[in-house]
């Protein structure tokens, strides 16, 4: 029988879960745990510079690897600093386990120093949360937390641990459970075969089909199945902001992203489709535009593991609740066994129509002849320099949309962005989390001069741990996305969307011990990229790319319109 | 439409807060809520009455089901069911009023559970409508105080909500 303190149990339990890195920040309530960390080397602790960054690092790692990220912070301000990161993970269904210290049990409720009601604070943004009542519960609670975070629709789980649960001389028997069963929790294991059959019949009978796939396909590790289905049927596919890469973005059957800043052809094809197969998506308002005008002719099939996603915003004709892998397997099997094939003529003329739409906008933007880069051009340059193979971790704003539109992702888990919550400050720490775990890959944070300053302090962490991410900052001098809305809806009154007094980025990077490069004009981009991935391959490089501040993201759906109602440029509307 | 949602819930600290928080955070309304442990002390039984469109109610039940501590759940209004609420109501009862109130309480099968020279405290059980009808019958001028438990519900017949 092995006797361990609560602190030791926690660290051992994390090890049993296969955790390599824990991202965090110490403080009074966790000192016993940090001491337990110090006395072993299996689980490594990464000291960030702000707890929010720890959550995004864990989150970035989780998005790239499909495994849960782990965060550890002290009580009070440490815990409250994680809220944005927890909410970011929650909105995008990212598996994460967040361990928060808490004041001693007997002090809880008495407004003690650094006491906050963490379970109360995080309740609306977690999948579940636990509070430790006795040290001996720790292994089982950790096991449950990982199980809940990673199964069904994934999400963050918080474990709040009062300091007296971890004292070194209070030792208890340690056994790590092999399995846990939670009687009140049983995520779906399989879709309803009758529904799946019905869906296949409708899908094969379609004349103007669309496949609309999302983050659920990536979370459910089902991109291969998706590809077989789409290729087998020769149907067009559009992907959500969260789903990019599940199907190759450079493939002919891919129409690109859909929704508010989706491609013209995706939004048109959605609007005119007669059958939509929606896989691992949630009919978000940034996708559907006005729901009462959404895809008027379509019979909608929706596959999702979360029953509450079904008919939440748009009525679904054929719902299938189940894990995407097993449902897609069943669909593929049924198609094989049924002798029917899609209506080849109808599909051919549907493709003719789509090709026409494709020609109309085709991601067009006007280039400048004064040497100033358009942000789209900068992203295209990045794509070329990385051959489309980098992990792109984005911040939030115009640069994010340009990256989603112009960096064609051919593989899943490579496009990492805060799609649901839209958290500025996410990109850089997320990139750090990816790079630490994939040191041989190119990892780029695409950001804006606004967003990067929300977690810029992490340059220090990068130096300490040697994390050579590339920061590709599309500097338009504005909170560009805010400015775009002000241009379009507020007669160009730029209320607080201009960034004055920006730092000298190169000097800033150098001050932190890194490399800074400046791109003022088009002709400097290629050289900077070569240096960034060549000469400075093993260094953190901050590339400040000056881009045209006037540019808007297009297409842009017209508010309260249908999918097909879009601005295609400052002057052209559908 | 009004719905009665019956929930079997882990009897754990924080579980109730999660249910109530869900309603607040998603701006669903709670008309009444009752909760107490069952014969199995590890489980609580909760009854919530709420109202909304079909889509709202569907979302409410699905979102409740997603809470880890919710073991099982049923919308009792989908089938035949019994519902009861208990009310304690304190009314002015003096002079000629006294007999009249006693008669009204009898009609509603209420019991007078406490008496002073000028006040009756009446206990009444029944459906929400019955309690409301009683309040109406007594009239607002007499009523000094009312306390209601909120609805408890159970399905009719052999159907049960259990593990
Ligand atoms: C934490 C946070 N605060 C505010 C916003 C609102 N917001 C969305 S985009 C944006 C501008 C971002 O500016 P920048 O990072 O420079 O990117 P750009 O749009 O210029 O490419 C703002 C303020 C947000 N998404 N997140
Ligand atoms: Mg900007």
């Amino acid at each position: 029988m092995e006797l361990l303190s609560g602190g030791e149990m926690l660290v051992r339990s994390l090890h049993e879960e296969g955790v390599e890195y824990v991202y965090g920040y110490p403080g009074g309530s966790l000192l016993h745990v940090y001491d337990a960390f110090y006395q072993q080397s299996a689980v490594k602790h990464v000291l960030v510079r702000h707890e929010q960054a720890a959550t995004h690092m864990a989150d970035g790692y989780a998005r790239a690897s499909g495994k849960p990220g782990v965060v550890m912070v002290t009580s009070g301000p440490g815990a409250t600093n994680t809220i944005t990161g927890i909410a970011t993970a929650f909105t995008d269904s990212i598996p994460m386990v967040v361990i928060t210290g808490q004041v001693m049990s007997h002090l809880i409720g008495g407004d003690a120093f650094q006491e906050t009601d963490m379970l109360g604070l995080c309740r609306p943004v977690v999948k579940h949360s636990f509070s430790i009542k006795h040290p001996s519960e720790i292994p089982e609670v950790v096991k449950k937390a990982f199980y809940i975070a990673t199964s069904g629709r994934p999400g963050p789980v918080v474990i709040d641990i009062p300091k007296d649960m971890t004292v070194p001389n209070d030792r208890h028997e340690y056994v790590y459970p092999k399995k846990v069963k939670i009687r009140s929790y049983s995520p779906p294991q399989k879709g309803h075969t009758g529904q799946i059959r019905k869906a296949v019949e409708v899908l094969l009978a379609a004349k103007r089909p669309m496949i609309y796939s999302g983050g659920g396909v990536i979370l459910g590790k089902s991109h291969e199945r998706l590809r077989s289905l789409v290729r087998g049927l020769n149907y067009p596919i559009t992907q959500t902001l969260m789903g990019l890469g599940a199907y190759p973005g450079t493939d002919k059957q891919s129409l690109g992203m859909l929704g508010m800043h989706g491609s013209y052809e995706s939004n048109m094809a959605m609007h005119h489709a007669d059958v939509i197969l929606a896989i691992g998506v949630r009919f978000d308002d940034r996708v559907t535009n006005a729901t009462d005008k959404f895809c008027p002719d379509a019979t909608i099939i929706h596959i999702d593991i979360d029953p509450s996603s079904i008919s939440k915003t748009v009525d679904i004709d054929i719902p299938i609740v189940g894990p995407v892998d097993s449902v897609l397997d069943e669909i593929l099997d049924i198609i094989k066994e049924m002798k029917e094939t899609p209506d080849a003529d109808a599909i051919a003329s549907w493709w003719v129509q789509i090709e026409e739409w494709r020609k109309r906008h085709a991601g067009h933007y006007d280039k400048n002849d004064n040497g100033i880069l358009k942000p789209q051009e900068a992203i295209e340059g990045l794509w070329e320099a990385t051959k489309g193979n980098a992990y792109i971790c984005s911040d939030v704003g115009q640069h994010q949309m340009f990256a989603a539109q112009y960096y064609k992702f051919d593989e899943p888990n490579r496009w990492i962005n805060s799609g649901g919550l839209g958290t500025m400050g996410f990109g850089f720490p997320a990139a750090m989390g990816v790079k630490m775990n994939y040191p041989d890959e190119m990892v780029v944070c695409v950001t804006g001069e606004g967003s990067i300053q929300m977690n810029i302090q992490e340059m220090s962490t990068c130096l300490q741990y040697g994390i050579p991410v590339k920061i590709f900052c599309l500097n338009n001098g504005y909170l560009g996305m805010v400015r775009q809305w002000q241009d379009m809806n507020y007669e160009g009154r730029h209320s607080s969307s201009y960034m004055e007094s920006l730092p000298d980025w190169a000097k800033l990077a150098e001050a932190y011990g890194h490399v800074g490069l400046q791109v003022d004009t088009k002709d400097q981009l290629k050289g900077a990229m070569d240096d960034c991935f060549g000469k400075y391959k093993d260094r953190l490089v901050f590339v400040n790319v000056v881009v045209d501040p006037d540019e808007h993201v297009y297409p842009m759906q017209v508010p309260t319109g249908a999918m097909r109602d879009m601005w295609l440029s400052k002057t052209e509307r559908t | 439409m009004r719905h009665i949602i019956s929930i079997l819930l882990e009897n754990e600290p924080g579980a109730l807060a999660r249910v109530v928080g869900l309603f607040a955070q998603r701006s669903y309304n709670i008309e009444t809520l009752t909760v107490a442990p069952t014969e199995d002390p590890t489980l609580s039984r909760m009854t919530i009455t709420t109202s909304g469109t079909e889509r709202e109610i569907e979302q409410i039940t699905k979102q409740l089901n997603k809470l880890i501590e919710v073991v099982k759940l049923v919308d009792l209004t989908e089938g035949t069911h019994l519902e009861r609420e208990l009310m304690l109501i304190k009314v002015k009862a003096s002079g000629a009023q006294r007999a009249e109130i006693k008669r009204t309480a009898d009609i509603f099968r209420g019991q007078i559970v406490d008496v002073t020279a000028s006040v009756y405290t009446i206990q009444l059980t029944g459906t929400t409508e019955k309690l409301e009808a009683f309040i109406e019958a007594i009239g607002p001028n007499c009523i000094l105080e009312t306390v209601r438990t909120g609805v408890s519900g159970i399905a009719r017949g052999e159907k049960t909500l259990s593990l």
Side-chain angles (χ1 to χ4, degrees), chain A residues 123-124 126-129 133 148 153 182-185 306-308 310-315, chain B residues 10 13 17-18 21-22 25 40 42-43 55 58-59 62-63 66-71 163:
Chain A
R123 201 204 59 242
V126 293
K127 184 168 173 188
H128 196 56
S129 51
K133 300 278 184 278
I148 292 172
R153 179 176 181 172
I182 303 171
R183 64 177 173 183
S184 57
Y185 175 67
D306 178 359
S308 77
I310 307 282
S311 296
K312 181 161 72 176
T313 62
V314 164
D315 284 326
Chain B
E10 294 289 357
R18 271 187 240 272
L22 179 75
Q25 133 205 5
D40 172 351
T42 68
L43 290 170
R55 173 176 279 174
E58 193 180 318
Q59 268 299 310
K62 285 173 171 177
Q63 293 292 350
K66 271 170 73 172
L67 296 178
I68 306 289
E69 282 130 340
V70 168
V71 183
L163 276 182

Side-chain angles (χ1 to χ4, degrees), chain A residues 473-493:
Chain A
C473 180
L474 298 188
N475 186 348
N476 53 11
Y478 280 88
L479 301 175
M481 190 54 95
V482 173
R483 177 190 152 140
Q484 173 167 350
W485 283 57
Q486 290 170 336
D487 288 341
M488 295 175 79
N489 304 320
Y490 299 89
E491 297 165 336
R493 291 186 296 279

Side-chain angles (χ1 to χ4, degrees), chain A residues 398-399 447-451 474-481 497 499:
Chain A
Q398 290 184 319
H399 60 271
T447 186
E449 80 298 331
S451 294
L474 298 188
N475 186 348
N476 53 11
Y478 280 88
L479 301 175
M481 190 54 95
S497 56
M499 278 260 166

Side-chain angles (χ1 to χ4, degrees), chain A residues 64 389-393 407 409 412-416 434 438 441-445:
Chain A
N389 277 328
Y391 285 80
I392 302 292
C393 303
Y407 197 100
F409 293 91
N413 309 93
R414 301 246 158 177
W415 165 241
I416 289 172
V434 177
Y438 297 90
E441 301 284 343
M442 286 179 283
V443 181
V444 181
C445 164

Side-chain angles (χ1 to χ4, degrees), chain A residues 492-520:
Chain A
R493 291 186 296 279
H494 296 155
S495 177
S496 292
S497 56
Y498 179 60
M499 278 260 166
E500 235 167 327
S501 309
L502 291 170
D504 177 328
W505 301 101
K507 275 196 189 142
L508 183 71
E510 282 158 20
Y512 275 109
H514 305 300
V515 178
L517 299 176
Q518 177 74 11
V519 176
D520 287 306

Side-chain angles (χ1 to χ4, degrees), chain A residues 230-251:
Chain A
V230 175
R231 288 185 178 135
L233 292 170
N234 185 33
Y235 285 2
I237 177 171
T238 180
Q239 302 178 81
T240 67
L241 180 65
M242 294 311 298
L244 296 176
Y247 192 85
T250 54
D251 187 272

